[in-house]
C-alpha cells in the first residue's frame, strides 16, 4: 500500500524540518557567531534534508503508483 | 547578550512558529495529505515556509553580525570595546565612537568592512577558524590584523570631507593626497593611536553624561 508509505515519509521529513525550525528559533535568541553557525550548518542542514526528503517522497509516490488500464503497453 | 530585536526579527520568529505548528499537525495527522487541501498544507509547511524561514533567518543573522554586540560577544574582543571609551582625543576609534562620527551599534563593522564574513573566501575561512580557536584552541595574547589596515576603510567616509580635503598636512605636497588615495601612504602612519589595548590599564574612560575636566 502506497498511502502508509508516503505517510511515513511525510512524518520523517516533518520531524527533520521541525527539528531544524526549533533549532533556528533557538539560535535567534542570541547574537553570537556560534548561533549563526548552528543556524546555518545544523538547522539549515536539517531543514534541507527534510525538504529534500519531502520532495523525494512526492516523486517516489508518483513512480510507484499503478498506471491506469488504458496506458498499458501492448 | 544585548540582542537587537527589530520588526524583521519579530516577523521571522512568527513565521517560524507558524511553520512549527503546521509541521506538527502534519506529523500527527499525515493522512490529511490525501485531500487537496492537505497536499497544499504539506507543500507550504515542508517546502515553502521552511525555505522562506531559512532565507530570512540567514539575512537576520548577517545583519546581526554587523552589530557591535555581535563582535564583542567574544571574550577576546572585550578590551577593544573598552578602548572605544578611552578619554583621549588622540585615540582614533574612541574619538569616532564618542562623537557619533559612525553609528555606535555598528562601530566595529564601519571601520573593519572586510573582516571575516565580509571579506573574500580566505577571510570567511579565517572567521570559521576564529570560532574554532575561541572554543577549542588557544586565543593569542595579542590580536593583530592579517594585513595592513587599508585606507579605503577611512576614505569611504573621509573622502570628499572638507576637513580631509583642505587639511594643510594633506596638501603640503601634491603627492601626499595621491599616495593616501592609492593606499601607498597609510592613514595610520600619522594617525597611529588606534585601539592601544595594551595601555588600557593606564587610561581614563569617558562615560555619557560626564564632563571633560
Amino acid at each position: 500500500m502506497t498511502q502508509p508509505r508516503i505517510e511515513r515519509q511525510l512524518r520523517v521529513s516533518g520531524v527533520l524540518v521541525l527539528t531544524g525550525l526549533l533549532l533556528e528559533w533557538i539560535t535567534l535568541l542570541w547574537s553570537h557567531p556560534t548561533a549563526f553557525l548552528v543556524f546555518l550548518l545544523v538547522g539549515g542542514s536539517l531543514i534541507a534534508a527534510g525538504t529534500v526528503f519531502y520532495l523525494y517522497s512526492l516523486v517516489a509516490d508518483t513512480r510507484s503508483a499503478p498506471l491506469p488500464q488504458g496506458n498499458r503497453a501492448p | 547578550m544585548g540582542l537587537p530585536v527589530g520588526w524583521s526579527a519579530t516577523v521571522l520568529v512568527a513565521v517560524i512558529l507558524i511553520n512549527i505548528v503546521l509541521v506538527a499537525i502534519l506529523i500527527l495527522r499525515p493522512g490529511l495529505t490525501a485531500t487537496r487541501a492537505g497536499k497544499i498544507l504539506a507543500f507550504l509547511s515542508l517546502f515553502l515556509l521552511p525555505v522562506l524561514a531559512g532565507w530570512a533567518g540567514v539575512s537576520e543573522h548577517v545583519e546581526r553580525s554587523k552589530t557591535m554586540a555581535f563582535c564583542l560577544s567574544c571574550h577576546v574582543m572585550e578590551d577593544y570595546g573598552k578602548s572605544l571609551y578611552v578619554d583621549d582625543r588622540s585615540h582614533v576609534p574612541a574619538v569616532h565612537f564618542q562623537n557619533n562620527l559612525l553609528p555606535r551599534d555598528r562601530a566595529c563593522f564601519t571601520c573593519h568592512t572586510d573582516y571575516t564574513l565580509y571579506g573574500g573566501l580566505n577571510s570567511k575561512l579565517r572567521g570559521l577558524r576564529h570560532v574554532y580557536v575561541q572554543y577549542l584552541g588557544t586565543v593569542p595574547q595579542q590580536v593583530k590584523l592579517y594585513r595592513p589596515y587599508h585606507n579605503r576603510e577611512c576614505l569611504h567616509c573621509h573622502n570628499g570631507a572638507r576637513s580631509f580635503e583642505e587639511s594643510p598636512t594633506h596638501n603640503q605636497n601634491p603627492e601626499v593626497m595621491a599616495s593616501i588615495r592609492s593606499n601607498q601612504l597609510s592613514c595610520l602612519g600619522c594617525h597611529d593611536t588606534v585601539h592601544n589595548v595594551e595601555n588600557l590599564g593606564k587610561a581614563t574612560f569617558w562615560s555619557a553624561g560626564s564632563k571633560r575636566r
Side-chain angles (χ1 to χ4, degrees):
Chain A
M1 283 173 65
T2 56
Q3 198 59 21
R5 182 164 165 250
I6 194 170
E7 285 182 15
R8 274 199 305 275
Q9 286 172 335
L10 281 173
R11 278 206 163 110
V12 168
S13 66
V15 166
L16 287 170
V17 168
L18 184 72
T19 314
L21 286 170
L22 282 170
L23 253 174
E24 292 198 346
W25 175 46
I26 289 166
T27 62
L28 288 170
L29 299 173
W30 284 279
S31 182
H32 195 277
T34 317
F36 191 176
L37 285 175
V38 169
F39 178 96
L40 204 58
L41 299 177
V42 186
S45 299
L46 284 168
I47 287 179
T51 304
V52 166
F53 194 67
Y54 161 68
L55 293 173
Y56 167 76
S57 70
L58 294 179
V59 174
D61 186 49
T62 309
R63 263 192 278 164
S64 61
L67 292 171
Q69 291 280 336
N71 286 353
R72 275 208 187 133
Chain B
M1 287 271 176
L3 184 71
V5 179
W7 68 267
S8 57
T10 309
V11 168
L12 172 59
V13 168
V15 167
I16 289 177
L17 290 176
I18 290 167
N19 201 173
I20 286 172
V21 168
L22 294 178
V23 171
I25 292 171
L26 265 180
I27 290 171
L28 294 170
R29 301 278 304 275
L32 281 173
T33 56
T35 64
R36 184 184 164 89
K39 286 181 170 62
I40 292 171
L41 173 70
F43 182 76
L44 271 175
S45 57
L46 294 177
F47 180 71
L48 215 58
L49 284 179
V51 167
L52 183 69
W55 169 76
V58 168
S59 182
E60 174 67 21
H61 274 290
V62 165
E63 283 306 302
R64 287 184 188 184
S65 71
K66 295 176 186 173
T67 62
M68 207 164 94
F70 184 92
C71 299
L72 300 186
S73 66
C74 283
H75 175 68
V76 67
M77 285 289 122
E78 267 179 35
D79 282 346
Y80 292 86
K82 267 173 81 173
S83 72
L84 298 177
Y85 290 89
V86 167
D87 188 8
D88 183 341
R89 284 185 173 138
S90 66
H91 272 239
V92 173
V95 162
H96 283 78
F97 180 80
Q98 292 164 27
N99 292 289
N100 278 348
L101 298 177
L102 38 73
R104 282 197 185 158
D105 64 336
R106 296 186 174 213
C108 311
F109 176 66
T110 307
C111 297
H112 296 279
T113 63
D114 61 351
Y115 182 67
T116 60
L117 182 68
Y118 298 96
L121 178 64
N122 282 339
S123 298
K124 289 174 170 62
L125 291 173
R126 271 192 218 115
L128 287 175
R129 197 179 76 83
H130 290 177
V131 178
Y132 169 80
V133 168
Q134 170 80 7
Y135 292 106
L136 298 172
T138 309
V139 177
Q141 289 286 339
Q142 202 177 15
V143 171
K144 289 181 192 172
L145 292 176
Y146 292 103
R147 45 178 188 251
Y149 193 76
H150 202 290
N151 286 355
R152 168 198 62 226
E153 311 287 28
C154 308
L155 293 175
H156 73 81
C157 292
H158 286 279
N159 198 28
R162 185 175 180 180
S163 56
F164 171 75
E165 300 290 343
E166 295 181 4
S167 160
T169 314
H170 296 163
N171 289 293
Q172 64 186 1
N173 183 324
E175 289 174 5
V176 169
M177 274 298 220
S179 300
I180 292 170
R181 289 203 166 95
S182 63
N183 200 41
Q184 285 172 339
L185 176 63
S186 172
C187 302
L188 300 189
C190 297
H191 304 278
D192 59 355
T193 309
V194 282
H195 288 284
N196 234 20
V197 295
E198 56 275 5
N199 294 322
L200 277 185
K202 303 173 211 162
T204 53
F205 295 91
W206 168 77
S207 63
S210 64
K211 287 191 180 149
R212 189 182 293 274
R213 289 190 292 275

